[in-house]
Amino acid sequence: MIAMRSGLILLCVLLPFVSPKASPRQLKCLVCKSLVEEIDKEVAKANPEHTIEVGSYRLDTNGDKRQRKIQYARSELHLSEVLDSVCDKFEDYVQAAYKTNHQPMIFKIVGDNGQMNPLMSEVDITPDDDLNKSLKFYCEALVSEHDEDILRLFAAETDNLDVQLCSEHAKVCEQSLSSTFDTEGGHEEL
């Protein structure tokens, strides 16, 4: 009886420090949004002055080639290269929950600058049995299933890429474009 009571007291004391584990659907949504951020970062790293010629090398009826120059960063070639390696970045991500509202999230432990992520003080890391390999798996599944959508959306440089990809195409998030903006100022509610 005393052992059960002390176990119950210990559970009540430790329960507030255990982060709730995100559902697989929540994780897929979080991974999708982070995937969009990672691709955006890679596109931004490309030299904006670097262009490539795209189009047909065949002659049309007037004897002209139908080619045009486009920015390399948004080309199918560059975006395909990015998609080949972007999911490897998810090996550096962990699951966590905000300390204030216990909202699940994922983030990189070490930022792109090599420093510890400042979010570490604002979150509780969620223990994960598979050492967060599911994050990379979810990313690879998204890229594999939606590679054409990803290439098209990023090549077109459209707005709200995360909503378009994750909600409209992959359907792993519940937010739609119509709920992205409020009626007054056009601010995002993400």
Side-chain angles (χ1 to χ4, degrees), residues 45-190:
K45 287 180 187 176
N47 181 353
E49 308 218 352
H50 187 199
T51 59
I52 61 170
E53 288 187 11
V54 295
S56 174
Y57 286 96
R58 293 183 174 185
L59 299 176
D60 64 9
T61 56
N62 296 331
D64 298 323
K65 292 182 191 175
R66 294 196 178 209
Q67 290 185 319
R68 59 188 170 93
K69 286 189 175 195
I70 64 167
Q71 187 181 26
Y72 171 74
R74 300 259 175 209
S75 69
E76 186 174 338
L77 173 67
H78 182 246
L79 291 171
S80 294
E81 290 171 356
V82 168
L83 289 183
D84 287 343
S85 62
V86 71
C87 291
D88 292 339
K89 295 178 183 293
F90 283 85
E91 293 175 354
D92 300 331
Y93 276 74
V94 294
Q95 297 179 50
Y98 286 104
K99 290 179 181 179
T100 55
N101 62 7
H102 304 290
Q103 185 72 22
M105 53 103 63
I106 62 172
F107 72 101
K108 281 183 170 180
I109 292 179
V110 177
D112 294 331
N113 60 2
Q115 300 292 318
M116 186 64 74
N117 193 321
L119 282 175
M120 288 292 290
S121 63
E122 300 173 24
V123 300
D124 291 323
I125 303 295
T126 304
D128 189 7
D129 297 338
D130 71 355
L131 302 174
N132 292 307
K133 290 183 180 165
S134 60
L135 301 178
K136 183 178 178 183
F137 173 77
Y138 289 147
C139 176
E140 289 170 342
L142 280 165
V143 168
S144 173
E145 293 173 27
H146 302 284
D147 58 342
E148 292 177 11
D149 292 327
I150 295 169
L151 291 173
R152 186 177 39 76
L153 290 170
F154 276 90
E157 202 170 351
T158 59
D159 293 332
N160 302 313
L161 285 169
D162 58 340
V163 175
Q164 286 191 45
L165 178 63
C166 304
S167 299
E168 305 291 326
H169 294 283
K171 297 185 181 356
V172 294
C173 298
E174 294 180 12
Q175 184 175 19
S176 67
L177 280 175
S178 59
S179 66
T180 302
F181 295 97
D182 66 21
T183 54
E184 290 189 20
H187 299 335
E188 292 188 44
E189 298 175 354
L190 299 174

Side-chain angles (χ1 to χ4, degrees), residues 11-28:
L11 181 64
C12 289
V13 169
L14 292 179
L15 192 58
F17 299 107
V18 176
S19 297
K21 192 166 185 152
S23 71
R25 179 151 176 90
Q26 286 175 313
L27 276 180
K28 288 176 186 176

